Amino acid sequence: MPNVVAEKGSSLSAITRDPVRRVWLLRTPSSSYGLTLTGEDAPLNLHWGPPRTLPQVVALAGPDRVSPNSFEGADDGWEELPVDGGTRYGPAALQVRFADGTRAIEWAFLGSEITEAENGSTLRLNFTDRHYPLKIALFYRVLEGSDVIERWVELENSGGQERIEILRADSAAWSVPTRPAYRLSHVVGRWGAEFQLRRTELSSGETVLTSRRGITSHHANPWVMLDAGDAGEEHGEVWGAAFTWSGSWRITVARDPVDKVIFTGGFGHEGVRWFLEPGQKLRTPVFAGLYSPAGFGAASRGWHDYALRRILPHPEEVRPVLYNSWEATGFEVSESGQVELATRAAAIGIELFVMDDGWFGRRTSDRAGLGDWQVNRDRFPDGLEPLVHEVHRLGMKFGLWVEPEMVNPDSDLYREHPDWVLRFRNRRRSELRNQLVLNFADPAVSDWAFGWLTELVGDCRIDFLKWDMNRAFSEAGWPENTGDPDRLWIDHTRAVYRIMDRLRAEHPGLRIESCSGGGGRIDLGVLARTDQVWPSDNTDAFDRLLIQEGYSQLYPARAMTAWVTDNPHFVTGRRTRLEFRFHVAMTGVLGIGGDISSWSEHELAQARELIALYKDIRPVVQHGKLYRSPAAGSVQYVTDARTVVFVFAPTGHFGQSRPPVRVAGLDPEGSYRDEDTGVVHSGAVLLDRGLEISLPVGDYASAIVRLRRI
Ligand code: DGJ
């Protein structure tokens, strides 16, 4: 049970306060965060940066600022949750409309609580509007041993009669200290090219990163990092935040003309609004922030550590090597074909066999059958049982593809329940990939989905679900809900979460992979109820290098599924060495997605060896710390005992020099033995001069070096 210490906070706690000056200080191992209240009770940022003491942060709390002229707000760029109203001209993080039409909010501070629990401390600041029945609580959680600070907001309509319209309810605004320059790091993308890292000067004005698609999206991912233009992989200050949500979202980064930067983020997007009925509460998802004093590499390691401590359901497990049948068969699945693939997969060392799309209803193409989750008896005359039994007999776990949120209009489900899909009256229902989106915000629909999923998992002894979601929302209406239809933007995602949570609770052995036409739904929200994610349908190893670099900025290798597929690649037409394809996939959770029934004996033998090698290095890759060196083309994983260095040289010129790869994260006093050659290296030499790594001649060359501390 947490111990609630109202209006207290011991000096040893991660959270302390000065009640007279109304200053609070949050401390993490490498950072601290200070805030105060203005004379009008608005919460204001004082500090987000290196570790500071309470007196040092109190010294930052000067007298209230005054507007420099009649066109500026005094506190723009500094507020913890800029509300709509008063002399504020930046992006509002909280905008509501009361029943009488008033939109502005005026803060009135009610008090604070510091809660100490085993794994961290939480600060809660309680406010109400000065006049209207709206309670606002700001939460800050500091986790033991982590530099991540979690923030969220709880709103409550504390009145008895009238509802309050919510126009924007962000989870937090993060105020970045004033610097002479700013760079914004984030990712952009599209189907087949997710997680493309962009690091560009932050322009003055407002930069909006958003998804209006009802899912996280391939096009942007809900995190940002800011630096003063001087940070690198292993040096420089970086401020960042990531949002734990898998529906539509929006982060607005504002740089004002006097170079103050603030960013605010939350669920929903512009134009979407919903209501708080009397007595109702709304709790926003966490928008977590992290300050790194040591570059983007340290920031990424901080986020990976957070995912491990706080997000992933089974972080300690090593993920199995999987085989997925999609690229081999497309929709042409059959019991005999799957058994043949499974037999070959088991022989090369696969541990989890996943059957993809095409096993149910009349799903012989993407035009029909979605929604009809009964086994296709033409393809599996005795149901799934014989295949599952055979896969288990071969010593592998069995995984199955599902897409619960979707329906093809050509399906029995749609013919029976045409009113279950997102739609507007008098508007066409736009199809994408010949499918429509089921409205999971409607409890009848989400109960139906949970019902067939739990039955399928239980009856068929399914060990792993690949949960796919293959189209963006459109015509997101809910005609039966005349009072609050936009609520579906939030409640759909919440229902997906609830189903996943219930499935996990009822089937503790079940593991889930999040997929959305590749990487359309990867975020800290879905990672909290899945075990791994599918970053892209583009499995071309050369393209994957970039996708994986972008992915790794925030998300850990232990959750990143990566398949080895066929030559030439089906998207890019590129031919690459089998070893290169393996090495690229071995930097995450290795899987095979090629048509192994057409691989030669030589290729299968190579695959068997490389899978065995992966199983040896897997604890280091999946549980070690990641160091990237994009310039050297290297990616490295480090645990106390072992280090694995990957080097990739997709192409090069004759005579081009390849400097030694400097190995990071080692002890300069330590000695490290190359596990393949037996050569012993000094830690200092590896750190300072680097390691000569010989690569095969030709394009798409790569190598792995395993070092063990002695
Ligand atoms: C999209 C996924 O990303 C693919 O891996 C595959 O599962 C297809 N859907 C199946 O329809």
CSV table of all heavy atoms in Angstrom, one decimal, residues 123-156:
chain,number,residue,atom,x,y,z
A,123,LEU,N,4.0,13.1,-7.0
A,123,LEU,CA,3.5,14.4,-6.6
A,123,LEU,C,2.2,14.6,-7.3
A,123,LEU,O,2.1,14.5,-8.5
A,123,LEU,CB,4.5,15.4,-7.0
A,123,LEU,CG,4.1,16.9,-6.8
A,123,LEU,CD1,3.9,17.2,-5.3
A,123,LEU,CD2,5.1,17.9,-7.5
A,124,ARG,N,1.2,15.1,-6.5
A,124,ARG,CA,-0.1,15.4,-7.0
A,124,ARG,C,-0.4,16.9,-6.6
A,124,ARG,O,-0.4,17.2,-5.4
A,124,ARG,CB,-1.2,14.5,-6.5
A,124,ARG,CG,-2.5,14.8,-6.9
A,124,ARG,CD,-3.6,14.0,-6.2
A,124,ARG,NE,-4.9,14.4,-6.7
A,124,ARG,CZ,-5.9,13.7,-7.1
A,124,ARG,NH1,-5.8,12.4,-7.1
A,124,ARG,NH2,-7.0,14.2,-7.5
A,125,LEU,N,-0.6,17.7,-7.6
A,125,LEU,CA,-1.0,19.1,-7.3
A,125,LEU,C,-2.4,19.2,-7.6
A,125,LEU,O,-2.9,19.0,-8.8
A,125,LEU,CB,-0.2,20.1,-8.2
A,125,LEU,CG,1.4,20.0,-8.0
A,125,LEU,CD1,2.0,21.0,-9.0
A,125,LEU,CD2,1.8,20.4,-6.6
A,126,ASN,N,-3.2,19.7,-6.6
A,126,ASN,CA,-4.7,19.8,-6.8
A,126,ASN,C,-5.1,21.2,-7.0
A,126,ASN,O,-4.7,22.1,-6.3
A,126,ASN,CB,-5.4,19.2,-5.6
A,126,ASN,CG,-5.1,17.7,-5.4
A,126,ASN,OD1,-5.3,17.0,-6.3
A,126,ASN,ND2,-4.8,17.3,-4.2
A,127,PHE,N,-5.9,21.4,-8.0
A,127,PHE,CA,-6.4,22.7,-8.4
A,127,PHE,C,-7.9,22.6,-8.6
A,127,PHE,O,-8.4,21.5,-8.9
A,127,PHE,CB,-5.8,23.3,-9.6
A,127,PHE,CG,-4.3,23.4,-9.6
A,127,PHE,CD1,-3.5,22.3,-10.0
A,127,PHE,CD2,-3.7,24.6,-9.2
A,127,PHE,CE1,-2.1,22.4,-9.9
A,127,PHE,CE2,-2.3,24.7,-9.2
A,127,PHE,CZ,-1.5,23.6,-9.5
A,128,THR,N,-8.6,23.7,-8.6
A,128,THR,CA,-9.9,23.8,-9.1
A,128,THR,C,-10.0,25.1,-9.9
A,128,THR,O,-9.2,26.0,-9.8
A,128,THR,CB,-11.0,23.8,-8.0
A,128,THR,OG1,-12.3,23.8,-8.6
A,128,THR,CG2,-10.9,25.0,-7.1
A,129,ASP,N,-11.0,25.2,-10.8
A,129,ASP,CA,-11.3,26.5,-11.4
A,129,ASP,C,-11.8,27.4,-10.3
A,129,ASP,O,-12.5,27.0,-9.4
A,129,ASP,CB,-12.3,26.4,-12.6
A,129,ASP,CG,-12.5,27.7,-13.3
A,129,ASP,OD1,-11.7,28.0,-14.2
A,129,ASP,OD2,-13.4,28.4,-12.9
A,130,ARG,N,-11.5,28.7,-10.4
A,130,ARG,CA,-11.9,29.7,-9.4
A,130,ARG,C,-13.4,29.8,-9.3
A,130,ARG,O,-13.9,30.1,-8.2
A,130,ARG,CB,-11.4,31.1,-9.7
A,130,ARG,CG,-9.9,31.2,-9.6
A,130,ARG,CD,-9.5,32.6,-9.8
A,130,ARG,NE,-9.3,33.3,-8.5
A,130,ARG,CZ,-8.2,33.2,-7.7
A,130,ARG,NH1,-7.2,32.4,-8.2
A,130,ARG,NH2,-8.1,33.7,-6.6
A,131,HIS,N,-14.1,29.5,-10.4
A,131,HIS,CA,-15.5,29.7,-10.4
A,131,HIS,C,-16.3,28.5,-10.7
A,131,HIS,O,-17.3,28.1,-10.1
A,131,HIS,CB,-15.9,30.8,-11.3
A,131,HIS,CG,-17.4,31.1,-11.5
A,131,HIS,ND1,-18.1,31.8,-10.6
A,131,HIS,CD2,-18.3,30.6,-12.4
A,131,HIS,CE1,-19.4,31.8,-10.9
A,131,HIS,NE2,-19.5,31.0,-12.0
A,132,TYR,N,-15.9,27.8,-11.8
A,132,TYR,CA,-16.7,26.6,-12.3
A,132,TYR,C,-16.2,25.3,-11.6
A,132,TYR,O,-15.1,25.2,-11.1
A,132,TYR,CB,-16.4,26.6,-13.8
A,132,TYR,CG,-17.0,27.7,-14.5
A,132,TYR,CD1,-16.2,28.9,-14.8
A,132,TYR,CD2,-18.4,27.8,-14.9
A,132,TYR,CE1,-16.8,30.0,-15.5
A,132,TYR,CE2,-18.9,28.9,-15.5
A,132,TYR,CZ,-18.1,30.0,-15.8
A,132,TYR,OH,-18.7,31.0,-16.5
A,133,PRO,N,-17.1,24.3,-11.7
A,133,PRO,CA,-16.9,23.1,-11.0
A,133,PRO,C,-15.9,22.1,-11.8
A,133,PRO,O,-16.3,21.0,-12.2
A,133,PRO,CB,-18.3,22.4,-10.8
A,133,PRO,CG,-19.0,22.9,-12.0
A,133,PRO,CD,-18.5,24.3,-12.3
A,134,LEU,N,-14.7,22.6,-12.0
A,134,LEU,CA,-13.8,21.8,-12.8
A,134,LEU,C,-12.5,21.6,-11.9
A,134,LEU,O,-11.9,22.6,-11.5
A,134,LEU,CB,-13.4,22.4,-14.1
A,134,LEU,CG,-12.3,21.7,-14.9
A,134,LEU,CD1,-12.7,20.3,-15.3
A,134,LEU,CD2,-11.8,22.5,-16.1
A,135,LYS,N,-12.3,20.3,-11.5
A,135,LYS,CA,-11.0,20.1,-10.7
A,135,LYS,C,-10.0,19.6,-11.7
A,135,LYS,O,-10.2,18.8,-12.6
A,135,LYS,CB,-11.3,19.0,-9.7
A,135,LYS,CG,-12.2,19.5,-8.5
A,135,LYS,CD,-12.0,18.6,-7.3
A,135,LYS,CE,-12.7,19.3,-6.1
A,135,LYS,NZ,-13.3,18.3,-5.3
A,136,ILE,N,-8.8,20.1,-11.4
A,136,ILE,CA,-7.6,19.7,-12.3
A,136,ILE,C,-6.5,19.2,-11.4
A,136,ILE,O,-6.1,19.9,-10.5
A,136,ILE,CB,-7.1,20.9,-13.1
A,136,ILE,CG1,-8.3,21.6,-13.8
A,136,ILE,CG2,-6.0,20.5,-14.0
A,136,ILE,CD1,-7.9,23.0,-14.3
A,137,ALA,N,-6.1,18.0,-11.6
A,137,ALA,CA,-4.9,17.5,-10.8
A,137,ALA,C,-3.8,17.2,-11.7
A,137,ALA,O,-4.0,16.5,-12.7
A,137,ALA,CB,-5.3,16.2,-10.0
A,138,LEU,N,-2.6,17.7,-11.4
A,138,LEU,CA,-1.4,17.4,-12.2
A,138,LEU,C,-0.6,16.4,-11.4
A,138,LEU,O,-0.4,16.6,-10.2
A,138,LEU,CB,-0.5,18.7,-12.4
A,138,LEU,CG,-1.2,20.0,-12.9
A,138,LEU,CD1,-0.1,21.0,-13.3
A,138,LEU,CD2,-2.0,19.7,-14.1
A,139,PHE,N,-0.2,15.4,-12.1
A,139,PHE,CA,0.6,14.3,-11.5
A,139,PHE,C,2.0,14.2,-12.1
A,139,PHE,O,2.2,14.4,-13.3
A,139,PHE,CB,-0.1,12.9,-11.8
A,139,PHE,CG,-1.3,12.7,-11.0
A,139,PHE,CD1,-2.5,13.2,-11.5
A,139,PHE,CD2,-1.4,12.0,-9.8
A,139,PHE,CE1,-3.7,13.0,-10.9
A,139,PHE,CE2,-2.5,11.8,-9.1
A,139,PHE,CZ,-3.7,12.3,-9.6
A,140,TYR,N,3.0,13.9,-11.2
A,140,TYR,CA,4.4,13.7,-11.6
A,140,TYR,C,4.8,12.5,-10.8
A,140,TYR,O,4.7,12.4,-9.6
A,140,TYR,CB,5.2,14.9,-11.1
A,140,TYR,CG,4.9,16.3,-11.6
A,140,TYR,CD1,3.8,17.0,-11.1
A,140,TYR,CD2,5.6,16.8,-12.7
A,140,TYR,CE1,3.4,18.2,-11.6
A,140,TYR,CE2,5.2,18.1,-13.2
A,140,TYR,CZ,4.1,18.7,-12.6
A,140,TYR,OH,3.8,20.0,-13.1
A,141,ARG,N,5.4,11.5,-11.6
A,141,ARG,CA,5.9,10.3,-10.9
A,141,ARG,C,7.4,10.1,-11.2
A,141,ARG,O,7.8,10.2,-12.4
A,141,ARG,CB,5.1,9.1,-11.3
A,141,ARG,CG,5.6,7.8,-10.5
A,141,ARG,CD,4.6,6.7,-10.5
A,141,ARG,NE,4.0,6.4,-11.8
A,141,ARG,CZ,2.8,5.9,-11.9
A,141,ARG,NH1,2.0,5.7,-10.9
A,141,ARG,NH2,2.4,5.7,-13.2
A,142,VAL,N,8.2,10.0,-10.2
A,142,VAL,CA,9.6,9.7,-10.3
A,142,VAL,C,9.8,8.2,-10.0
A,142,VAL,O,9.4,7.8,-8.9
A,142,VAL,CB,10.4,10.6,-9.4
A,142,VAL,CG1,11.9,10.3,-9.6
A,142,VAL,CG2,10.1,12.1,-9.6
A,143,LEU,N,10.4,7.5,-10.9
A,143,LEU,CA,10.6,6.1,-10.7
A,143,LEU,C,12.0,5.8,-10.2
A,143,LEU,O,13.0,6.4,-10.7
A,143,LEU,CB,10.4,5.3,-12.0
A,143,LEU,CG,9.1,5.6,-12.8
A,143,LEU,CD1,9.2,5.2,-14.2
A,143,LEU,CD2,8.0,4.8,-12.1
A,144,GLU,N,12.1,4.9,-9.2
A,144,GLU,CA,13.3,4.5,-8.6
A,144,GLU,C,14.3,4.1,-9.7
A,144,GLU,O,14.1,3.3,-10.6
A,144,GLU,CB,13.0,3.3,-7.7
A,144,GLU,CG,14.2,2.7,-7.1
A,144,GLU,CD,14.5,3.3,-5.7
A,144,GLU,OE1,13.5,3.6,-5.0
A,144,GLU,OE2,15.7,3.5,-5.5
A,145,GLY,N,15.5,4.8,-9.7
A,145,GLY,CA,16.6,4.4,-10.6
A,145,GLY,C,16.4,4.8,-12.0
A,145,GLY,O,17.3,4.5,-12.9
A,146,SER,N,15.4,5.6,-12.4
A,146,SER,CA,15.2,6.0,-13.8
A,146,SER,C,15.2,7.5,-13.9
A,146,SER,O,14.8,8.2,-12.9
A,146,SER,CB,13.8,5.5,-14.2
A,146,SER,OG,13.4,6.1,-15.5
A,147,ASP,N,15.6,8.0,-15.0
A,147,ASP,CA,15.6,9.5,-15.2
A,147,ASP,C,14.3,10.0,-15.9
A,147,ASP,O,14.1,11.1,-16.1
A,147,ASP,CB,16.8,9.9,-16.1
A,147,ASP,CG,18.1,9.9,-15.4
A,147,ASP,OD1,18.1,10.4,-14.2
A,147,ASP,OD2,19.1,9.4,-15.9
A,148,VAL,N,13.4,9.0,-16.1
A,148,VAL,CA,12.1,9.4,-16.7
A,148,VAL,C,11.2,9.9,-15.7
A,148,VAL,O,11.1,9.3,-14.6
A,148,VAL,CB,11.5,8.2,-17.5
A,148,VAL,CG1,10.1,8.4,-17.9
A,148,VAL,CG2,12.4,7.8,-18.7
A,149,ILE,N,10.5,11.0,-16.0
A,149,ILE,CA,9.5,11.6,-15.1
A,149,ILE,C,8.2,11.4,-15.8
A,149,ILE,O,8.0,11.8,-17.0
A,149,ILE,CB,9.7,13.0,-14.8
A,149,ILE,CG1,11.1,13.2,-14.0
A,149,ILE,CG2,8.6,13.6,-14.0
A,149,ILE,CD1,11.5,14.6,-13.8
A,150,GLU,N,7.2,10.7,-15.2
A,150,GLU,CA,5.9,10.5,-15.8
A,150,GLU,C,5.0,11.6,-15.4
A,150,GLU,O,4.9,12.0,-14.2
A,150,GLU,CB,5.3,9.2,-15.3
A,150,GLU,CG,6.1,7.9,-15.8
A,150,GLU,CD,5.4,6.6,-15.4
A,150,GLU,OE1,4.6,6.6,-14.4
A,150,GLU,OE2,5.6,5.6,-16.1
A,151,ARG,N,4.2,12.1,-16.4
A,151,ARG,CA,3.3,13.1,-16.1
A,151,ARG,C,1.9,12.8,-16.7
A,151,ARG,O,1.8,12.3,-17.8
A,151,ARG,CB,3.8,14.5,-16.6
A,151,ARG,CG,5.0,15.0,-15.8
A,151,ARG,CD,5.4,16.4,-16.3
A,151,ARG,NE,4.3,17.3,-16.2
A,151,ARG,CZ,4.4,18.5,-16.7
A,151,ARG,NH1,5.5,18.9,-17.4
A,151,ARG,NH2,3.4,19.4,-16.6
A,152,TRP,N,0.9,13.2,-16.0
A,152,TRP,CA,-0.5,13.1,-16.5
A,152,TRP,C,-1.4,14.0,-15.8
A,152,TRP,O,-1.0,14.6,-14.8
A,152,TRP,CB,-1.0,11.6,-16.5
A,152,TRP,CG,-1.3,11.1,-15.1
A,152,TRP,CD1,-2.5,11.0,-14.5
A,152,TRP,CD2,-0.3,10.5,-14.2
A,152,TRP,NE1,-2.4,10.4,-13.3
A,152,TRP,CE2,-1.1,10.1,-13.1
A,152,TRP,CE3,1.0,10.3,-14.3
A,152,TRP,CZ2,-0.5,9.5,-12.0
A,152,TRP,CZ3,1.6,9.7,-13.2
A,152,TRP,CH2,0.9,9.3,-12.0
A,153,VAL,N,-2.6,14.1,-16.3
A,153,VAL,CA,-3.6,15.0,-15.7
A,153,VAL,C,-4.9,14.3,-15.4
A,153,VAL,O,-5.3,13.4,-16.2
A,153,VAL,CB,-3.9,16.2,-16.7
A,153,VAL,CG1,-5.0,17.1,-16.3
A,153,VAL,CG2,-2.6,17.0,-16.9
A,154,GLU,N,-5.6,14.7,-14.3
A,154,GLU,CA,-6.9,14.2,-14.1
A,154,GLU,C,-7.9,15.3,-14.0
A,154,GLU,O,-7.6,16.3,-13.2
A,154,GLU,CB,-6.9,13.4,-12.8
A,154,GLU,CG,-8.1,12.4,-12.7
A,154,GLU,CD,-8.0,11.5,-11.5
A,154,GLU,OE1,-7.2,10.5,-11.5
A,154,GLU,OE2,-8.6,11.8,-10.5
A,155,LEU,N,-8.9,15.3,-14.8
A,155,LEU,CA,-10.0,16.3,-14.7
A,155,LEU,C,-11.2,15.7,-14.1
A,155,LEU,O,-11.5,14.6,-14.3
A,155,LEU,CB,-10.3,16.8,-16.2
A,155,LEU,CG,-9.2,17.3,-17.0
A,155,LEU,CD1,-9.7,17.6,-18.4
A,155,LEU,CD2,-8.6,18.6,-16.4
A,156,GLU,N,-11.9,16.5,-13.4
A,156,GLU,CA,-13.2,16.0,-12.8
A,156,GLU,C,-14.2,17.1,-12.9
A,156,GLU,O,-14.0,18.3,-12.5
A,156,GLU,CB,-13.0,15.7,-11.3
A,156,GLU,CG,-14.2,15.1,-10.7
A,156,GLU,CD,-14.1,14.8,-9.2
A,156,GLU,OE1,-12.9,14.9,-8.7
A,156,GLU,OE2,-15.1,14.6,-8.6
